[in-house]
Amino acid sequence: MQESDIQPQRLLSETDLELIDALQINPRASWTEVGAAIGVDPVTAARRWQRLHSHGEAWTTVALGPRLTDAMSMTFLEIDCEPGAAVEVAETLAGEGHLITVQHVASDHDLFAIAVAASMPALAHYLLTDLPRVPGVAKVRAHVATRVFETSCRWRLRVLPARSADALARRHAAPASTRQMDEIDRRLFKALGMDGRAGYSELAGAVGTSERTVQRRLSRLVATGDIDFRCDLARAHAGWHSSAVLWLRMPDGLLEETGRVLLGWPETRTCAALAGARNMLLTVGLHGVSDLHALVVRLEERFPHVSVADRQIVLRQSKLYGRLLDHSGHCTGVVPVDPWSLSRP
């Protein structure tokens, strides 16, 4: 891609930002509910969304819910590439369903990626056998998550008035359940990875069952915390022009408290406790690169027990939670998140 091919970074209108914010609060809200929240009729809301979606400026997708996240094995990867191979390696890895996110970073390694699998043996086999054999990969450092606080499902633009946001808020009972996802549930998850707003008829065709069955299963999966939904956008269009990865150290006894507080920070994207000496990972959105220093100062002032062990500015996102992105952050394709693509060896 030549520099001239990169799409210009226009800022979205206030109405478009409100529409996206509404869908970040409730990605599967009806157009009647969304329209009421942003002050337009349902047809206008749907038409605006279709324009944003068709231009790759915004999208919705399914996500791992808190119960499913706890059941999965997740690791954060620092990947060194052979000289000149980073772009090709990123493109290869972006095509793998078990790699949620792939980013180029300004660091002593080339790529940062998030991998997820249904079991630790399956993940270990990939890390020890398959990933090192990818052409262009020189070295891999893996950081296993012991507790995932957030993977960007809560992040939102925060432009809607509180009353409108409250009206859209998702309220689900969380019934106790030991039932595990079966093959139909997994097919439903992967179908929703293509479009988080897909209708019951479309999902029934993809899964191979009735609309009523899809509706019942989807309601249960959401209520039990197996699945969640997220809405994202080409973030520069909303003034978020940069992002960073922070590696933190703190006493283990303060991980839970710190992670929960960080969930409320508007910059927080992903936050997880890790098994290593750098025992927390935090990814943040920034309006500009220069905002990183102020955020680190605020972090250390708010949490005197925290030491920032390392920080890396993200140069480019090749893949973001299953969406393939171009140089401007627009969605150009989908590789649905599939934690079950790595089978136990």
Side-chain angles (χ1 to χ4, degrees), residues 314-337:
V314 175
L315 299 174
R316 181 188 301 168
Q317 292 181 318
S318 297
K319 184 181 186 181
L320 177 65
Y321 218 99
R323 258 47 187 185
L324 303 179
L325 305 182
D326 66 13
H327 294 195
S328 300
H330 293 77
C331 176
T332 60
V334 186
V335 179
V337 173

Side-chain angles (χ1 to χ4, degrees), residues 67 173-179 220 223-225:
R67 190 176 83 139
S177 174
T178 58
R179 187 183 186 280
R220 174 180 53 78
T224 57

